[in-house]
Amino acid sequence: MKQTAVTASITRELLTRVPINRNYTDAIGMARGAEDEPKSGGFQVDGASGSENRFVIDGLDTTDIGSGIDNKGLRMEFVEEVQVKTSGYNAEYRASTGGVINAITRSGSNAWHGDIGLYHEDNELSGDIRPELRLNPVDTTIAEHVTKPRDGDRQTEPTFALGGPILRDRMWFFAGYAPNFRRESRTVTFLENDATQEFVDDERGHRLLGNVTTRLTDALRLKVSVMNDEFRGGYAFPSIEPDGTSFDNPVSFPDSVRSDSFDRTVSAVIDWAPTNRLYVNVATGIYDYGSKDEGEFFDGIRYRVLESNFGFPEVPGNLKHVNGYDSSIANARNLKDDWRRVQVSGDLTSYLNGLGDHTLKTGVQYERFGNDVDSGNVLPDIRLSWDDSWQTLDGRAVRGEYGYYIVREFKTLGDVTGHNLGFFVQDAWTINNRLTLNLGVRTERELIPSYRDDAPDLEFSFADKFAPRVGFAYDLTGSARSKLYGFWGVYYDLMKLDLARGAFGGDKWVDYMITLDTFDWPSIQCDYPPSAIGSSSCPGTFIEEIDYRYPSNGPEAVALGVGGVDPDMKPVRTQELTVGLDHELNATMSVGVRYVHKQLDRTIEDVGTQLPGVGEIYFITNPGKGSEDFGLFPLGRDFPQMPHAKREYDGLELALRKRLADNWQLNAVYTFSRLYGNYSGLASSDESDNGTGRTDPNVERYFDGLYGLFDTSGSLDPLYGVLATDRPHILNLQASYDFPWGTTVGGNQLMASGTPTTRQISQNGIPVWYQGRNSDGRTEALSRTDLSVQHAFQLGGGRRLSVGVQIFNLFDEENVTRIYQRPYRDRFNVSDEQFFNGFDADALASANRDDVRPDPQFLQAAGLQGERELRFLAKFSF
């Protein structure tokens, strides 16, 4: 009744009753304001993207250090409670412009409890195979929906859990183990040698959790937790056509390289109550995770066909290949990509009196994090684009007799360490029995490291990140049944390392474009960088070179006079205003209404400028708010100023909750909202051609040049509109009922508006919403029903055997989730003057069909709702 935070506490009791996937984060969708949006990088909370949440397990931050998304697989059997804070949370919660997801693992007690379970899935029992949209592999003027044969895919996951006393009334333990066994298979007939082969891949995973809780004294408790996950990755399969054939190179299979990974945490939490008015909490931990490739690596040149060469009759049959063909699986190797976070935090809570009651809490939080990586190409990756022209940075369309090819090498190298330090103070001040004020402030100091020793790090001071938070809660009737609440707060992001990897010297990516003047493509044996262009080993004429990862913080940018890091740059900041009313109808049922406004005040992004002869050079700045010398006029003062980043979320929410009583429970939330602006967040829903969005915080395509921020009408007003994951109406419902004979039925129901479809062209490689956002309406409304049915056999003595099935997308609905948005396959390359004076893109494309070809996939269904899935389960509990 005294809290202003909107929090969902999802207990193990509820998690066992409704259909839910295996990871603890799948429970987020039960919280108010949260929705699963793959195009936004995961769960979107009140309009904030998936890279803006914080994920905490037993006091330890397990958020991905590079991308900000969820990174830790914690199985539901090991979870006691999942807390999801979507708005109004206090100053103690850091580093989030979205939501805070906190998982508490199970602990032991004086009684012995445990369970042995088994989960099994087999996609032979799944719904209809979904068709895929693609260009015809031989004739790219034809678009087609194809249905490919279903791979074999069986997955079995046993679970083991046991908890009990080590020393009764003094020390307890809990241990859990969940191995995973997955077998995939595919049978193809290679067209190149007419050989039919079956490929089988066995993936293995091991998840282990253990914790010990001890009462050292009546006032002092300690919990130590360890989690260790190890995974043996899978091998790549050859591609497969609808008839079971494969265009791939048979000598590349079976694949000999897999990717293995690990994920480990060690944490400790101390709770101490020296007096009944003083409480101390100290938490510390280490989070390690990483991946590496294992197996025999291919050390040769890799050839990839971007455009097929079937249109050239002089090309011999053995050299003709479809678009998408690869001569080998890969010639890159990941020797290591390891990440680490070390965290220490402590807080002190005092219960005081003075003009009312005060719960005063102060704390400090320190984190040290790093990345050690050595990954990338061994030899060049050569990409062949037959019968196509390259659009150069200086406005030319260039090709050879057969098209052009690209010599590419991409690597990531570095061993870096950064850190941040935060302080907070907050007070829950109960003025009288009915009014409580929640007042707080936090601040942080942050260092993001450079991957180059000769370039500076990025730092923010305490003064840069001053974040006040103010809220109230008022008992309307004095009966503790009706609460009116409100909140205003400022939030800052703690930056992820993707910007440093991409813009501070970690990634190295250079493309060399060369005319394709021979059909004998295996004779192309360019080194890196190509030193003998025009010779028999590297034939053709040099077109241009583009460095896509020019270091923004290095001396090179300073020497060029473009690019660089804005010395006056400020951290990412959002604000929130929330008001709501909750009312208890009776002892088990409540209703609530909430209005929330969240706005982005500023962000940090790279602003790209294209420099012929060099590549794409980036300013790192606050777009639209940076200084003049750092991207405010990226094309010069003859062209518009960079617009500021804008994201505004307004949501009105109605909620009905019935706690589990009388054998049933219900949670229903309806949200009417708008998500508006030109920037979807640290994860980009504007770059979701594959349906999953892009999770590279601070280095996405939003503000590169100016082209993507205006339409092509000639208006110099910045382009704003509803964003790609805007859903005006969402109804989310979970319910369960326990029948007296031991059967429990639970369900999820989701109904939501479709998302905007916005046609897009490419200007110099930068996406442009050339007819405005939401130009072509929305995808169809989304609907999904999930069902869980379980029956428990009581065996006496507290023992129970449960069997059941979970069915996701019960009715196998095939709602269209994505429409192909690009009317043309090639880039436009108009001058800056022509672009901002306005031009008719469709008329220009029609007049230049050789250089700007129509894409026959345009406005066709490019993504469908996933097929129905079944999971069987059995569990023995005691």
Side-chain angles (χ1 to χ4, degrees):
M1 186 58 67
K2 297 180 180 182
Q3 297 298 314
T4 55
V6 176
T7 303
S9 295
I10 306 160
T11 64
R12 185 160 61 98
E13 185 177 50
L14 176 59
L15 293 173
T16 61
R17 283 176 162 80
V18 297
I20 195 167
N21 275 310
R22 302 285 296 120
N23 198 42
Y24 82 102
T25 54
D26 295 304
I28 298 173
M30 298 183 185
R32 295 163 63 175
E35 55 188 290
D36 189 4
E37 288 286 359
K39 288 191 292 186
S40 190
F43 279 94
Q44 187 170 282
V45 176
D46 286 343
S49 69
S51 289
E52 298 174 59
N53 302 316
R54 279 282 151 177
F55 301 90
V56 181
I57 300 176
D58 285 344
L60 180 63
D61 190 337
T62 59
T63 311
D64 188 273
I65 298 168
S67 67
I69 63 174
D70 165 47
N71 197 60
K72 181 67 179 174
L74 175 63
R75 286 308 192 227
M76 291 296 186
E77 285 72 23
F78 307 155
V79 174
E80 186 64 36
E81 183 180 6
V82 179
Q83 300 170 351
V84 184
K85 299 182 184 295
T86 56
S87 71
Y89 42 88
N90 289 332
E92 64 185 288
Y93 298 104
R94 69 190 188 103
S96 171
T97 53
V100 176
I101 297 89
N102 180 37
I104 302 169
T105 60
R106 293 169 62 181
S107 298
S109 66
N110 280 336
W112 288 93
H113 291 289
D115 49 69
I116 300 172
L118 183 70
Y119 293 85
H120 180 74
E121 301 174 58
D122 190 330
N123 71 345
E124 288 297 327
L125 302 174
S126 298
D128 294 336
I129 302 174
R130 303 303 194 237
E132 302 173 16
L133 176 66
R134 71 175 188 181
L135 295 174
N136 182 278
V138 174
D139 186 352
T140 55
T141 66
I142 299 173
E144 57 188 14
H145 281 96
V146 297
T147 303
K148 298 180 179 180
R150 191 192 302 275
D151 290 340
D153 189 352
R154 297 195 308 271
Q155 190 165 203
T156 301
E157 185 173 2
T159 63
F160 307 89
L162 179 65
I166 298 175
L167 296 173
R168 186 170 295 274
D169 298 325
R170 183 65 65 181
M171 184 180 292
W172 311 267
F173 83 96
F174 175 82
Y177 174 51
N180 181 273
F181 307 97
R182 182 177 184 181
R183 165 161 286 203
E184 296 181 272
S185 61
R186 177 179 295 181
T187 299
V188 302
T189 299
F190 290 104
L191 292 173
E192 191 163 314
N193 60 7
D194 201 33
T196 300
Q197 289 180 256
E198 181 185 19
F199 298 90
V200 177
D201 178 50
D202 290 309
E203 297 181 27
R204 296 289 183 264
H206 300 274
R207 292 182 171 91
L208 179 67
L209 175 144
N211 63 57
V212 173
T213 306
T214 179
R215 183 167 61 89
L216 300 173
T217 69
D218 289 342
L220 184 63
R221 287 178 175 263
L222 168 68
K223 181 177 181 178
V224 178
S225 300
V226 177
M227 287 182 280
N228 185 42
D229 300 344
E230 304 280 347
F231 301 95
R232 193 192 75 174
Y235 297 97
F237 285 164
S239 65
I240 190 168
E241 292 297 302
D243 62 358
T245 60
S246 176
F247 290 108
D248 281 347
N249 186 352
V251 302
S252 298
F253 298 94
D255 185 13
S256 60
V257 177
R258 69 175 193 266
S259 178
D260 293 351
S261 63
F262 67 92
D263 192 309
R264 299 186 289 255
T265 68
V266 178
S267 63
V269 179
I270 297 174
D271 296 310
W272 180 39
T275 72
N276 59 2
R277 287 184 169 269
L278 197 63
Y279 171 75
V280 178
N281 174 271
V282 177
T284 186
I286 301 174
Y287 182 32
D288 279 302
Y289 63 95
S291 63
K292 65 177 180 177
D293 292 338
E294 295 285 356
E296 296 183 13
F297 297 97
F298 173 68
D299 288 333
I301 293 175
R302 182 193 192 194
Y303 301 91
R304 173 175 291 186
V305 177
L306 303 182
E307 298 282 351
S308 65
N309 56 359
F310 281 83
F312 296 98
E314 65 271 32
V315 177
N318 66 320
L319 297 182
K320 288 185 176 180
H321 290 291
V322 299
N323 54 295
Y325 171 84
D326 287 318
S327 65
S328 62
I329 297 175
N331 66 347
R333 64 181 63 176
N334 175 18
L335 297 178
K336 58 180 175 180
D337 193 359
D338 297 338
W339 305 78
R340 166 172 282 209
R341 171 184 285 120
V342 179
Q343 177 183 318
V344 180
S345 63
D347 56 67
L348 173 68
T349 303
S350 304
Y351 302 94
L352 307 172
N353 301 113
L355 300 178
D357 297 327
H358 298 264
T359 303
L360 183 66
K361 189 173 186 178
T362 60
V364 59
Q365 298 152 335
Y366 175 77
E367 173 185 272
R368 189 174 181 87
F369 56 89
N371 177 217
D372 184 8
V373 57
D374 183 352
S375 179
N377 290 95
V378 178
L379 287 173
D381 189 339
I382 293 180
R383 300 175 170 228
L384 304 157
S385 195
W386 298 85
D387 200 22
D388 194 7
S389 300
W390 175 256
Q391 305 288 331
T392 66
L393 295 183
D394 59 5
R396 296 171 292 130
V398 184
R399 58 166 290 167
E401 181 179 355
Y402 294 101
Y404 70 91
Y405 66 95
I406 301 172
V407 180
R408 168 177 296 177
E409 186 161 1
F410 186 98
K411 289 185 177 180
T412 306
L413 296 168
D415 186 359
V416 300
T417 301
H419 55 79
N420 55 70
L421 176 64
F423 297 95
F424 72 88
V425 57
Q426 64 191 39
D427 184 19
W429 176 17
T430 302
I431 297 176
N432 52 45
N433 291 331
R434 298 173 64 176
L435 177 63
T436 298
L437 300 181
N438 288 290
L439 311 172
V441 65
R442 70 171 294 114
T443 186
E444 291 157 336
R445 186 181 66 197
E446 177 180 13
L447 182 144
I448 298 297
S450 172
Y451 277 71
R452 292 179 47 166
D453 294 335
D454 62 344
D457 302 325
L458 175 62
E459 297 185 66
F460 293 113
S461 69
F462 291 120
D464 291 325
K465 306 187 76 171
F466 185 78
R469 300 178 191 179
V470 179
F472 75 91
Y474 182 67
D475 183 351
L476 286 175
T477 63
S479 62
R481 296 185 60 185
S482 297
K483 179 179 74 172
L484 176 68
Y485 63 94
F487 178 84
W488 170 81
V490 173
Y491 298 87
Y492 291 96
D493 176 57
L494 277 177
M495 292 184 67
K496 290 71 181 174
L497 271 182
D498 271 8
L499 179 140
R501 274 174 65 131
F504 290 175
D507 292 341
K508 297 168 179 61
W509 173 10
V510 181
D511 281 357
Y512 297 85
M513 272 58 71
I514 304 170
T515 61
L516 183 57
D517 297 324
T518 176
F519 60 72
D520 185 17
W521 54 265
S523 68
I524 301 173
Q525 298 282 321
C526 303
D527 55 4
Y528 182 87
S531 58
I533 297 176
S535 68
S536 58
S537 62
C538 194
T541 301
F542 176 73
I543 301 173
E544 71 175 343
E545 117 185 28
I546 297 180
D547 187 339
Y548 289 101
R549 293 293 184 267
Y550 210 87
S552 297
N553 65 337
E556 300 93 338
V558 175
L560 286 172
V562 295
V565 180
D566 190 340
D568 298 322
M569 185 170 65
K570 302 299 182 184
V572 177
R573 186 181 72 185
T574 64
Q575 290 189 66
E576 172 195 334
L577 176 65
T578 299
V579 292
L581 176 64
D582 290 339
H583 176 67
E584 287 189 0
L585 299 174
N586 54 45
T588 62
M589 186 174 291
S590 62
V591 294
V593 59
R594 178 181 71 125
Y595 167 74
V596 59
H597 171 81
K598 292 188 178 182
Q599 68 181 46
L600 179 84
D601 292 336
R602 61 174 178 255
T603 192
I604 293 172
E605 268 289 340
D606 58 350
V607 174
T609 59
Q610 295 176 336
L611 189 63
V614 178
E616 197 158 7
I617 315 301
Y618 297 96
F619 299 98
I620 309 300
T621 187
N622 302 127
K625 297 179 181 291
S627 58
E628 183 174 340
D629 294 332
F630 290 91
L632 195 59
F633 293 92
L635 302 180
R637 281 193 164 271
D638 293 334
F639 300 98
Q641 177 178 314
M642 172 64 68
H644 66 275
K646 184 174 186 177
R647 183 186 70 197
E648 294 180 348
Y649 175 83
D650 291 277
L652 179 64
E653 181 183 273
L654 304 175
L656 170 65
R657 182 171 183 241
K658 163 69 168 59
R659 292 190 291 274
L660 183 63
D662 302 321
N663 297 327
W664 69 285
Q665 63 86 26
L666 171 69
N667 181 54
V669 181
Y670 165 73
T671 305
F672 174 59
S673 67
R674 186 183 77 153
L675 183 60
Y676 182 88
N678 62 359
Y679 174 82
S680 59
L682 298 181
S684 174
S685 60
D686 281 347
E687 299 174 72
S688 57
D689 287 345
N690 61 356
T692 60
R694 181 181 175 189
T695 53
D696 289 314
N698 311 115
V699 286
E700 288 149 329
R701 271 300 197 188
Y702 298 110
F703 302 100
D704 292 338
L706 283 173
Y707 314 116
L709 300 159
F710 295 84
D711 60 27
T712 59
S713 67
S715 169
L716 298 185
D717 293 329
L719 177 63
Y720 299 104
V722 290
L723 295 171
T725 56
D726 175 68
R727 296 186 187 272
H729 304 279
I730 299 176
L731 176 63
N732 205 338
L733 181 150
Q734 298 87 36
S736 70
Y737 186 81
D738 297 344
F739 290 93
W741 54 81
T743 299
T744 297
V745 177
N748 294 326
Q749 180 63 57
L750 171 67
M751 292 185 287
S753 305
T755 52
T757 297
T758 302
R759 61 179 63 192
Q760 171 188 332
I761 62 173
S762 174
Q763 161 68 4
N764 281 340
I766 296 170
V768 176
W769 320 114
Y770 72 109
Q771 292 187 1
R773 289 182 178 272
N774 199 22
S775 60
D776 291 85
R778 294 177 177 270
T779 60
E780 63 184 319
L782 178 65
S783 174
R784 190 188 72 241
T785 304
D786 304 329
L787 178 68
S788 172
V789 180
Q790 299 182 60
H791 183 79
F793 299 91
Q794 301 298 332
L795 305 179
R799 292 169 297 174
R800 182 176 69 251
L801 175 64
S802 301
V803 295
V805 61
Q806 296 175 331
I807 308 174
F808 301 92
N809 193 8
L810 175 66
F811 301 110
D812 202 26
E813 296 180 76
E814 289 190 28
N815 303 136
V816 175
T817 57
R818 185 166 54 92
I819 300 294
Y820 195 87
Q821 300 180 137
R822 299 186 180 188
Y824 306 106
R825 297 177 57 199
D826 299 303
R827 304 192 304 177
F828 286 74
N829 205 353
V830 302
S831 67
D832 294 342
E833 290 81 4
Q834 184 177 1
F835 184 94
F836 288 102
N837 285 332
F839 70 100
D840 187 328
D842 297 321
L844 183 60
S846 180
N848 296 274
R849 285 297 176 91
D850 289 340
D851 294 327
V852 185
R853 298 164 296 174
D855 195 321
Q857 301 170 99
F858 180 52
L859 292 185
Q860 296 196 47
L864 295 171
Q865 188 175 356
E867 62 195 40
R868 179 177 57 236
E869 297 179 0
L870 277 73
R871 180 185 298 124
F872 298 95
L873 62 96
K875 183 181 294 185
F876 171 72
S877 304
F878 61 90

